[in-house]
Amino acid sequence: VIFSSDLSEGTVAAEYPPGVGAFGRKIQIKGLEDEERLIYGQESVVIEQVDLAMGLGPVQQLLQELKIKSIAIVPIIGTDRPLGSFSLDSIGAPRVFLPHEIDLCRAFASLLAVTIENSTRFEGLADKAQHLGNLRASVLAITSHLERANLLNEIVKNAVTLVNARNGGFYSYDPARGE
């Protein structure tokens, strides 16, 4: 589950095995005791009997719909904020999660935190690289014009494109005439 930036909800970003039915589902976080403990207390939440659990609110209904009987949830903590959660689910029958299984989930969550943050940084770098590529193409297009009218039109066209504007223009000021 990847949390929204305001930590009010999360979205299931991956599931295994595929087709369980959780992928893409929204999970309420805000106002739910167990979910908030996971985020703000950065504690693991282990529920051995989903049907009898308190503090899950509407999440309990979703877990029951997915036939999840027991669940161990660990937070994915980034450098400066909670990023999401990783869970180990028991579908069809309740079970007791052993301490070493919870530790393994925490280790996976730590790896996921690094992976998510690196992915986010890479996406930002890819956007910057794309923007720089567009800027380079604009500079090449602009410098290829020798006539003033064509040059000014090319500058306006590229400026409008680079800043995603609807239109643009030049204002020519004549200091001798004061206009």
Side-chain angles (χ1 to χ4, degrees), residues 78-171:
T79 304
D80 58 351
R81 70 179 191 91
L83 302 172
S85 65
F86 175 81
S87 70
L88 183 60
D89 309 336
S90 176
I91 298 173
R95 66 169 287 198
V96 174
F97 294 100
L98 302 175
H100 77 274
E101 293 171 319
I102 305 301
D103 289 341
L104 188 58
C105 287
R106 285 188 189 114
F108 280 129
S110 293
L111 289 171
L112 284 168
V114 172
T115 302
I116 291 167
E117 287 186 329
N118 286 343
S119 169
T120 302
R121 283 188 199 106
F122 178 75
E123 286 172 0
L125 290 175
D127 290 344
K128 286 179 185 175
Q130 178 68 37
H131 187 69
L132 288 173
N134 292 343
L135 187 58
R136 179 183 177 276
S138 292
V139 168
L140 290 173
I142 290 167
T143 57
S144 68
H145 293 280
L146 299 175
E147 294 177 25
R148 184 170 194 252
N150 290 339
L151 174 64
L152 295 177
N153 283 332
E154 192 65 33
I155 290 171
V156 171
K157 178 180 123 189
N158 282 276
V160 166
T161 301
L162 287 172
V163 299
N164 292 322
R166 288 188 309 217
N167 53 45
F170 266 107
Y171 171 72

